Amino acid sequence: MRASAPLTRDLLLIGGGHAHAILLRMWGMNPLPGVRLTLVNPGPTAPYTGMLPGFVAGHYERSDLEIDLVRLARFAGARLVLDQVTGLDLSRSRAQLSARPDIAFDLVSLDIGVTSSVTPPIPGQSQLFPVKPLGAFTEAWDRFLAAVHDGEKAPRVAVVGAGLGGVELAMAMAWRLRGVAPDRSQIRVTLIESAGDILPGSPPALRRSLRTSLLAKGIVFEAGAKVTHLDEEGVHLSDGGVVNAALSVAAAGARPAGWLSQTGLALQSGFVRVDANLRSVSHPQVFAVGDIAHLDTSPRSKAGVYAVRQGPTLHHNLKAALSGSALKRFKPQADHLKLVSLGGRSAVAEKWGLALTGEWLWRWKDRIDQRFMERLNWLPLMPAPQPIRGPQALGARELALGQPLCGGCGSKAPASVLGPVLEALDAPRRPDVLRGAGDDAAVIRFGGSSQQVLTTDHFRAFTLDPYVLAQIVAHHALGDVWAMGADPQAALASVILPEMSHDLQIRTAKEIISAFGAVLRQAGADLVGGHTSLGAELTLGLTVTGLTSGRPAIGLDGGRPGDLLVLTKPIGVGVVLAAEMQGRAKGHWVQAALQQMLQSNGPSSRLLRTFSLAMTDVTGFGLAGHLQTILNRSGLSASLDLDAIDWSDGAIELTRAGVFSSLYPEAVRMAPTLRASGSTRLDPRFALLFDPQTSGGLLAAIPASRIDEMHDAAGRLGLIVPVIGVLSAAGPEGPKITVGP
């Protein structure tokens, strides 16, 4: 993760809209050295609006219209922050977020889209589901279809707003309900419009064609009627009529984010006013594109085609503004081709006042949409680093051709290196040092009956987001303390920053220290100092102490035959992180892996230390390797049940596809006594037993006589602690691990 040039400027993209998605792809192909690029978006994917009617009609899966922002960000060398922006402080050049500290920027671009709305607000509006943002709407549509299929809801829908989007949506809904509703005669889709006709202001030819299609599909059109309120009876109209509907959808209007009004930006009806360069007319450090922008020089309707065409101009102008070169104008076309789906696999096309209808037009639209998605989701392979030419030392070429080094625990030195080093380490000579190297943490006599545990951990970055990385590092370092059954006490930070400007050093270090402090405070510990330096890449670590408060520290040697093995987190984040580095992991898998690594082991430790005499955290040596350490120290064997283990999202699919962490081969060597049948060894879950975990869960041995008591206590705390295996006496050949289905 080494930068190609010293970082000197922060470019912040807010929102994963179409223009920003195109910009990310173009940036990956042609970046501006010295710029740290950041994208903030609430989720790891962004929906493509052009395919929404096809999804609603059942022609596409939801995944078909999702732009994977995780892959795009990795390709562009951008950090992706999964959070919601709640405001902009333009006097301090900072974006305010809902779940983390502000992010500073030198230049910011907005592509946050809009929300469908009925204005002014009406009673019962919470029952009117907005089409935009699309992510929430697609989930609601899936739930509604399932309820209709099961007979729990009537197949009756009201669509408020008969603009192009509303008409297209109503026809798609009517088509889909025909394949879902148990009784087609009960289907009723009603289109509501306050104007006297559909598509107010659109060409007559398009309106005529769409009116014919609506009539053919039995869609009821309520013209010249305003919605007054919603209640359990349905949607109430200004003419006294009531539209009975089990799902009411707002496809009318476009409401910009409310926080924009507090920024001081020049706005037009709430939308950011921009000039021909897509730059704010009031604040030159702000750009805006897509539906949220109002183009002062050439106002246009809110259509995705304009956002797509703005992407290349935005890419050029952001680079120009950051490098001091000339900007160029965005020239929107006077009219654009409208391809409108008619529910089934047919469409109407309109341009220059002419309209055509046919199935071939739907196929044409489908090809356009599919090509757009392929362009964003199937990214070109970047050229690999060129090997060193000429003579090299023996073995150097083989190492250079190996798999790129993973981050997180995938970058640890292997056990084959650590073993000989630790064997050469002198045993502790001080009487107050009770345990040295070889356990999860050193144990020191502290005061009377208390013991202090001491551990340190650090690794190279696997994400470009220093705040999230620091949080994970903190949880990971605390894992050793929690595994010993201790309560965290204090920590020292170790921070290596990549080469960057003075301002960016301050910004980055503040994010890191803030994240360290938040996690440590939650654990009951204090951050009391540390050390910083500059290096080739971002590397973070913590040294942590903990106190046992009168209890002996839990080690690896307390297991007994018959004890049941429990595990507190899924296995597989190592392969997900390796796949993300290769651009092969789905965004949702990466998001789930990050959430898993950000989960504290504190509640589980406080539960398990009441029952367990042998416990460890599962990290770089994988589940098999860390279980092997318990077996070696306790003189036992174990059996594991693959069906009982929880696996990280996407881990099995990726392993089946041949993706492994760079530390995987060494992790296999950590558990040489592992035994399994031939069929089990072919199971991708078997390979995941060796997957190195970052901020992994706790593995503990619980007496079988107390397992029910432990599960009852876990239930009261809202914890799930599955039993994954059992310990047994070792045979004459010594400790071994047996794996079954």
Side-chain angles (χ1 to χ4, degrees), residues 231-261:
D231 58 20
E232 294 181 357
E233 188 178 1
V235 182
H236 292 256
L237 305 179
S238 56
D239 61 6
V242 180
V243 177
N244 180 258
L247 176 68
S248 300
V249 176
R255 187 176 74 243
W259 56 262
L260 285 172
S261 63

mmCIF file of all heavy atoms in Angstrom, residues 231-261:
data_model
loop_
_atom_site.group_PDB
_atom_site.id
_atom_site.type_symbol
_atom_site.label_atom_id
_atom_site.label_comp_id
_atom_site.label_asym_id
_atom_site.label_seq_id
_atom_site.Cartn_x
_atom_site.Cartn_y
_atom_site.Cartn_z
ATOM 1 N N ASP A 231 -53.570 6.800 5.530
ATOM 2 C CA ASP A 231 -53.888 6.116 6.771
ATOM 3 C C ASP A 231 -54.093 4.639 6.453
ATOM 4 O O ASP A 231 -53.766 4.176 5.355
ATOM 5 C CB ASP A 231 -55.115 6.735 7.453
ATOM 6 C CG ASP A 231 -56.358 6.719 6.565
ATOM 7 O OD1 ASP A 231 -56.394 5.914 5.597
ATOM 8 O OD2 ASP A 231 -57.283 7.512 6.822
ATOM 9 N N GLU A 232 -54.649 3.888 7.401
ATOM 10 C CA GLU A 232 -54.827 2.455 7.194
ATOM 11 C C GLU A 232 -55.779 2.148 6.049
ATOM 12 O O GLU A 232 -55.699 1.086 5.424
ATOM 13 C CB GLU A 232 -55.337 1.804 8.485
ATOM 14 C CG GLU A 232 -54.325 1.859 9.631
ATOM 15 C CD GLU A 232 -54.852 1.188 10.874
ATOM 16 O OE1 GLU A 232 -56.015 0.731 10.851
ATOM 17 O OE2 GLU A 232 -54.107 1.112 11.863
ATOM 18 N N GLU A 233 -56.678 3.075 5.741
ATOM 19 C CA GLU A 233 -57.625 2.859 4.652
ATOM 20 C C GLU A 233 -56.949 2.955 3.294
ATOM 21 O O GLU A 233 -57.335 2.269 2.344
ATOM 22 C CB GLU A 233 -58.762 3.876 4.745
ATOM 23 C CG GLU A 233 -59.905 3.607 3.776
ATOM 24 C CD GLU A 233 -61.034 4.614 3.923
ATOM 25 O OE1 GLU A 233 -60.907 5.529 4.780
ATOM 26 O OE2 GLU A 233 -62.027 4.496 3.187
ATOM 27 N N GLY A 234 -55.935 3.807 3.174
ATOM 28 C CA GLY A 234 -55.221 3.941 1.917
ATOM 29 C C GLY A 234 -54.735 5.357 1.687
ATOM 30 O O GLY A 234 -54.486 6.124 2.629
ATOM 31 N N VAL A 235 -54.614 5.724 0.393
ATOM 32 C CA VAL A 235 -54.142 7.049 -0.011
ATOM 33 C C VAL A 235 -55.358 7.919 -0.295
ATOM 34 O O VAL A 235 -56.144 7.627 -1.201
ATOM 35 C CB VAL A 235 -53.244 6.946 -1.266
ATOM 36 C CG1 VAL A 235 -52.727 8.333 -1.645
ATOM 37 C CG2 VAL A 235 -52.088 5.988 -1.036
ATOM 38 N N HIS A 236 -55.516 9.007 0.465
ATOM 39 C CA HIS A 236 -56.666 9.896 0.318
ATOM 40 C C HIS A 236 -56.320 11.031 -0.638
ATOM 41 O O HIS A 236 -55.237 11.637 -0.547
ATOM 42 C CB HIS A 236 -57.071 10.462 1.680
ATOM 43 C CG HIS A 236 -57.642 9.415 2.603
ATOM 44 N ND1 HIS A 236 -58.989 9.296 2.858
ATOM 45 C CD2 HIS A 236 -57.030 8.422 3.305
ATOM 46 C CE1 HIS A 236 -59.191 8.289 3.697
ATOM 47 N NE2 HIS A 236 -58.015 7.746 3.988
ATOM 48 N N LEU A 237 -57.247 11.332 -1.553
ATOM 49 C CA LEU A 237 -57.030 12.323 -2.590
ATOM 50 C C LEU A 237 -57.880 13.564 -2.355
ATOM 51 O O LEU A 237 -58.894 13.526 -1.641
ATOM 52 C CB LEU A 237 -57.367 11.723 -3.954
ATOM 53 C CG LEU A 237 -56.642 10.418 -4.313
ATOM 54 C CD1 LEU A 237 -57.090 9.917 -5.673
ATOM 55 C CD2 LEU A 237 -55.132 10.605 -4.262
ATOM 56 N N SER A 238 -57.470 14.638 -3.006
ATOM 57 C CA SER A 238 -58.152 15.929 -2.812
ATOM 58 C C SER A 238 -59.572 15.923 -3.356
ATOM 59 O O SER A 238 -60.403 16.738 -2.937
ATOM 60 C CB SER A 238 -57.338 17.048 -3.482
ATOM 61 O OG SER A 238 -57.132 16.750 -4.863
ATOM 62 N N ASP A 239 -59.887 15.022 -4.284
ATOM 63 C CA ASP A 239 -61.259 14.971 -4.813
ATOM 64 C C ASP A 239 -62.166 14.073 -3.982
ATOM 65 O O ASP A 239 -63.296 13.778 -4.370
ATOM 66 C CB ASP A 239 -61.251 14.492 -6.267
ATOM 67 C CG ASP A 239 -60.659 13.080 -6.420
ATOM 68 O OD1 ASP A 239 -60.356 12.436 -5.390
ATOM 69 O OD2 ASP A 239 -60.505 12.625 -7.568
ATOM 70 N N GLY A 240 -61.666 13.610 -2.819
ATOM 71 C CA GLY A 240 -62.457 12.770 -1.926
ATOM 72 C C GLY A 240 -62.276 11.287 -2.155
ATOM 73 O O GLY A 240 -62.767 10.470 -1.359
ATOM 74 N N GLY A 241 -61.595 10.904 -3.211
ATOM 75 C CA GLY A 241 -61.385 9.492 -3.479
ATOM 76 C C GLY A 241 -60.332 8.885 -2.570
ATOM 77 O O GLY A 241 -59.500 9.583 -1.972
ATOM 78 N N VAL A 242 -60.371 7.569 -2.462
ATOM 79 C CA VAL A 242 -59.404 6.822 -1.657
ATOM 80 C C VAL A 242 -58.847 5.681 -2.501
ATOM 81 O O VAL A 242 -59.612 4.910 -3.087
ATOM 82 C CB VAL A 242 -60.039 6.252 -0.371
ATOM 83 C CG1 VAL A 242 -58.993 5.483 0.431
ATOM 84 C CG2 VAL A 242 -60.650 7.352 0.465
ATOM 85 N N VAL A 243 -57.532 5.593 -2.577
ATOM 86 C CA VAL A 243 -56.870 4.505 -3.300
ATOM 87 C C VAL A 243 -56.389 3.496 -2.274
ATOM 88 O O VAL A 243 -55.485 3.773 -1.481
ATOM 89 C CB VAL A 243 -55.684 5.025 -4.128
ATOM 90 C CG1 VAL A 243 -54.965 3.858 -4.804
ATOM 91 C CG2 VAL A 243 -56.148 6.035 -5.163
ATOM 92 N N ASN A 244 -57.024 2.336 -2.276
ATOM 93 C CA ASN A 244 -56.617 1.283 -1.353
ATOM 94 C C ASN A 244 -55.332 0.638 -1.857
ATOM 95 O O ASN A 244 -55.269 0.183 -3.002
ATOM 96 C CB ASN A 244 -57.727 0.234 -1.232
ATOM 97 C CG ASN A 244 -57.339 -0.891 -0.279
ATOM 98 O OD1 ASN A 244 -56.966 -1.964 -0.715
ATOM 99 N ND2 ASN A 244 -57.426 -0.619 1.007
ATOM 100 N N ALA A 245 -54.309 0.597 -1.021
ATOM 101 C CA ALA A 245 -53.015 0.063 -1.448
ATOM 102 C C ALA A 245 -52.292 -0.567 -0.270
ATOM 103 O O ALA A 245 -52.316 -0.033 0.847
ATOM 104 C CB ALA A 245 -52.150 1.161 -2.063
ATOM 105 N N ALA A 246 -51.666 -1.710 -0.524
ATOM 106 C CA ALA A 246 -50.828 -2.354 0.494
ATOM 107 C C ALA A 246 -49.409 -1.808 0.469
ATOM 108 O O ALA A 246 -48.640 -1.995 1.412
ATOM 109 C CB ALA A 246 -50.811 -3.858 0.271
ATOM 110 N N LEU A 247 -49.042 -1.158 -0.643
ATOM 111 C CA LEU A 247 -47.749 -0.493 -0.758
ATOM 112 C C LEU A 247 -47.963 0.819 -1.486
ATOM 113 O O LEU A 247 -48.513 0.841 -2.590
ATOM 114 C CB LEU A 247 -46.742 -1.357 -1.531
ATOM 115 C CG LEU A 247 -45.370 -0.718 -1.792
ATOM 116 C CD1 LEU A 247 -44.600 -0.539 -0.489
ATOM 117 C CD2 LEU A 247 -44.557 -1.556 -2.775
ATOM 118 N N SER A 248 -47.547 1.910 -0.866
ATOM 119 C CA SER A 248 -47.660 3.240 -1.473
ATOM 120 C C SER A 248 -46.259 3.783 -1.703
ATOM 121 O O SER A 248 -45.432 3.787 -0.781
ATOM 122 C CB SER A 248 -48.462 4.186 -0.572
ATOM 123 O OG SER A 248 -49.766 3.683 -0.350
ATOM 124 N N VAL A 249 -45.998 4.229 -2.930
ATOM 125 C CA VAL A 249 -44.650 4.613 -3.341
ATOM 126 C C VAL A 249 -44.656 6.043 -3.847
ATOM 127 O O VAL A 249 -45.543 6.438 -4.611
ATOM 128 C CB VAL A 249 -44.140 3.664 -4.444
ATOM 129 C CG1 VAL A 249 -42.771 4.113 -4.938
ATOM 130 C CG2 VAL A 249 -44.072 2.236 -3.926
ATOM 131 N N ALA A 250 -43.644 6.825 -3.423
ATOM 132 C CA ALA A 250 -43.480 8.197 -3.900
ATOM 133 C C ALA A 250 -42.456 8.222 -5.015
ATOM 134 O O ALA A 250 -41.281 7.919 -4.795
ATOM 135 C CB ALA A 250 -43.044 9.111 -2.763
ATOM 136 N N ALA A 251 -42.918 8.536 -6.226
ATOM 137 C CA ALA A 251 -42.014 8.700 -7.365
ATOM 138 C C ALA A 251 -42.057 10.128 -7.871
ATOM 139 O O ALA A 251 -41.612 10.417 -8.971
ATOM 140 C CB ALA A 251 -42.399 7.733 -8.478
ATOM 141 N N ALA A 252 -42.627 11.012 -7.054
ATOM 142 C CA ALA A 252 -42.794 12.415 -7.463
ATOM 143 C C ALA A 252 -41.735 13.279 -6.809
ATOM 144 O O ALA A 252 -41.356 13.054 -5.662
ATOM 145 C CB ALA A 252 -44.180 12.913 -7.050
ATOM 146 N N GLY A 253 -41.298 14.262 -7.537
ATOM 147 C CA GLY A 253 -40.417 15.273 -6.961
ATOM 148 C C GLY A 253 -39.035 14.728 -6.636
ATOM 149 O O GLY A 253 -38.744 13.544 -6.765
ATOM 150 N N ALA A 254 -38.176 15.600 -6.215
ATOM 151 C CA ALA A 254 -36.814 15.255 -5.838
ATOM 152 C C ALA A 254 -36.406 16.171 -4.702
ATOM 153 O O ALA A 254 -36.317 17.386 -4.875
ATOM 154 C CB ALA A 254 -35.869 15.416 -7.023
ATOM 155 N N ARG A 255 -36.176 15.597 -3.521
ATOM 156 C CA ARG A 255 -35.822 16.397 -2.355
ATOM 157 C C ARG A 255 -34.330 16.265 -2.077
ATOM 158 O O ARG A 255 -33.834 15.163 -1.867
ATOM 159 C CB ARG A 255 -36.624 15.937 -1.136
ATOM 160 C CG ARG A 255 -36.410 16.846 0.077
ATOM 161 C CD ARG A 255 -37.285 16.451 1.259
ATOM 162 N NE ARG A 255 -36.820 15.242 1.903
ATOM 163 C CZ ARG A 255 -37.491 14.113 1.978
ATOM 164 N NH1 ARG A 255 -38.669 14.012 1.385
ATOM 165 N NH2 ARG A 255 -37.012 13.052 2.607
ATOM 166 N N PRO A 256 -33.615 17.374 -2.063
ATOM 167 C CA PRO A 256 -32.184 17.307 -1.744
ATOM 168 C C PRO A 256 -31.969 17.105 -0.251
ATOM 169 O O PRO A 256 -32.879 17.289 0.557
ATOM 170 C CB PRO A 256 -31.663 18.675 -2.198
ATOM 171 C CG PRO A 256 -32.847 19.579 -2.074
ATOM 172 C CD PRO A 256 -34.052 18.747 -2.386
ATOM 173 N N ALA A 257 -30.758 16.698 0.102
ATOM 174 C CA ALA A 257 -30.423 16.492 1.519
ATOM 175 C C ALA A 257 -30.620 17.778 2.302
ATOM 176 O O ALA A 257 -30.185 18.860 1.880
ATOM 177 C CB ALA A 257 -28.978 16.009 1.635
ATOM 178 N N GLY A 258 -31.259 17.656 3.457
ATOM 179 C CA GLY A 258 -31.555 18.835 4.263
ATOM 180 C C GLY A 258 -30.331 19.551 4.775
ATOM 181 O O GLY A 258 -30.344 20.782 4.946
ATOM 182 N N TRP A 259 -29.226 18.804 5.019
ATOM 183 C CA TRP A 259 -28.050 19.444 5.603
ATOM 184 C C TRP A 259 -27.379 20.427 4.650
ATOM 185 O O TRP A 259 -26.591 21.277 5.089
ATOM 186 C CB TRP A 259 -27.041 18.403 6.091
ATOM 187 C CG TRP A 259 -26.563 17.397 5.097
ATOM 188 C CD1 TRP A 259 -27.018 16.119 4.927
ATOM 189 C CD2 TRP A 259 -25.493 17.558 4.142
ATOM 190 N NE1 TRP A 259 -26.320 15.480 3.930
ATOM 191 C CE2 TRP A 259 -25.381 16.337 3.430
ATOM 192 C CE3 TRP A 259 -24.638 18.606 3.818
ATOM 193 C CZ2 TRP A 259 -24.436 16.148 2.422
ATOM 194 C CZ3 TRP A 259 -23.703 18.418 2.811
ATOM 195 C CH2 TRP A 259 -23.604 17.205 2.131
ATOM 196 N N LEU A 260 -27.687 20.347 3.349
ATOM 197 C CA LEU A 260 -27.086 21.294 2.407
ATOM 198 C C LEU A 260 -27.473 22.734 2.724
ATOM 199 O O LEU A 260 -26.692 23.666 2.486
ATOM 200 C CB LEU A 260 -27.515 20.948 0.983
ATOM 201 C CG LEU A 260 -26.853 19.726 0.344
ATOM 202 C CD1 LEU A 260 -27.523 19.385 -0.975
ATOM 203 C CD2 LEU A 260 -25.361 19.961 0.147
ATOM 204 N N SER A 261 -28.666 22.938 3.266
ATOM 205 C CA SER A 261 -29.124 24.298 3.567
ATOM 206 C C SER A 261 -28.323 24.950 4.687
ATOM 207 O O SER A 261 -28.395 26.166 4.871
ATOM 208 C CB SER A 261 -30.612 24.280 3.939
ATOM 209 O OG SER A 261 -30.821 23.517 5.118
#
